[in-house]
Amino acid sequence: MNIIFATANKGKLREAAEILGEGWTLLTPADMGILEDIPETGNTLKENSIQKADYLFERLGCDCFADDTGLEVDALGGAPGVHSARYAGPGHDFDANIEKLLREMEGVPYEKRTARFRNVVTLIIGGEKHFFEGCMEGHIALQRSGTAGFGYDPVFVPDDFPGATVADLGEEVKNSISHRGKSLRAMAAWLSANTAAK
Ligand code: IMP
């Protein structure tokens, strides 16, 4: 069965395809002729993931899902949270976001650098919405390390592998412990139990 994932991120697509397995053909908005950025103007991760899934469903009328992620840093009162993508301001890249994060965390000792990635997936199937959530706990590193992944991966040390950043671990290990991996596996289990595709 076809299902559309509201992303242009190749890593996320590979991860979702692997988790969903053979019964599903994963398509992107671009595959369906939607080339513009999908708006995400909500105040929470859930609002954003609903907004992106609704955007696709209203235009295409087919089964789809969208996700939204935020990095919550305890020492920063939960920031950047829903603003994680634009933490250093509009038009800034991952590098600038990390730079700002490390600057804001200057002087905070390692044991107080606790943080987590939270992810919310909205699935619209048969016109109905279902939600799945995942979380990865860890610490913000004192400095960058590693080259794999994207976003804040070079400065996030997951509790599951306390000697490395997510960017040191590589895609396969990351997907087995990540916030998004957990939501997507919950969605895949739901699909497997509730649809005929598998
Ligand atoms: P999005 O909702 O997946 O677009 O995520 C929002 C922002 O959170 C991204 O722009 C990244 O900065 C960050 N982010 C999301 N997922 C990850 C991840 O798996 N690793 C590191 N950073 C991430």
Side-chain angles (χ1 to χ4, degrees):
M1 278 170 70
N2 288 350
I3 193 159
I4 303 156
F5 182 13
T7 189
N9 179 317
K10 295 236 159 50
K12 282 197 201 177
L13 268 178
R14 270 199 305 276
E15 180 179 15
E18 197 177 297
I19 289 172
L20 284 175
E22 283 179 359
W24 296 92
T25 303
L26 213 50
L27 301 167
T28 65
D31 292 332
M32 306 301 288
I34 294 183
L35 302 173
E36 68 274 21
D37 283 344
I38 302 179
E40 36 184 313
T41 54
N43 292 314
T44 64
L45 300 178
K46 189 169 181 181
E47 277 176 27
N48 275 343
S49 79
I50 292 173
Q51 185 181 21
K52 289 187 265 186
D54 275 343
Y55 188 92
L56 288 182
F57 188 71
E58 279 159 18
R59 276 152 191 81
L60 302 168
C62 37
D63 297 337
C64 59
F65 63 96
D67 82 311
D68 202 52
T69 295
L71 174 65
E72 290 176 4
V73 180
D74 293 324
L76 302 177
V82 72
H83 306 295
S84 295
R86 300 168 296 280
Y87 189 42
H92 285 76
D93 58 8
F94 293 145
D95 211 50
N97 287 339
I98 289 181
E99 198 89 346
K100 176 166 180 188
L101 178 62
L102 290 178
R103 212 170 43 242
E104 299 283 331
M105 298 286 286
E106 254 168 37
V108 180
Y110 191 73
E111 65 276 11
K112 296 236 167 81
R113 298 170 80 97
T114 48
R116 68 209 51 79
F117 280 109
R118 262 186 218 292
N119 177 264
V120 180
V121 167
T122 300
L123 167 70
I124 304 184
I125 190 150
E128 285 184 4
K129 287 193 182 85
H130 302 272
F131 304 101
F132 306 93
E133 299 193 10
C135 185
M136 174 167 63
E137 296 281 346
H139 286 73
I140 302 302
L142 294 163
Q143 63 208 16
R144 298 163 201 252
S145 175
T147 52
F150 68 99
Y152 298 92
D153 283 346
V155 289
F156 191 85
V157 178
D159 284 352
D160 286 329
F161 291 89
T165 68
V166 175
D168 289 321
L169 293 172
E171 192 167 271
E172 202 178 324
V173 176
K174 174 184 176 179
N175 295 348
S176 72
I177 58 167
S178 83
H179 46 298
R180 193 170 31 258
K182 288 172 188 158
S183 313
L184 290 174
R185 276 190 292 279
M187 181 182 82
W190 187 92
L191 285 169
S192 168
N194 291 282
T195 69
K198 280 189 129 188

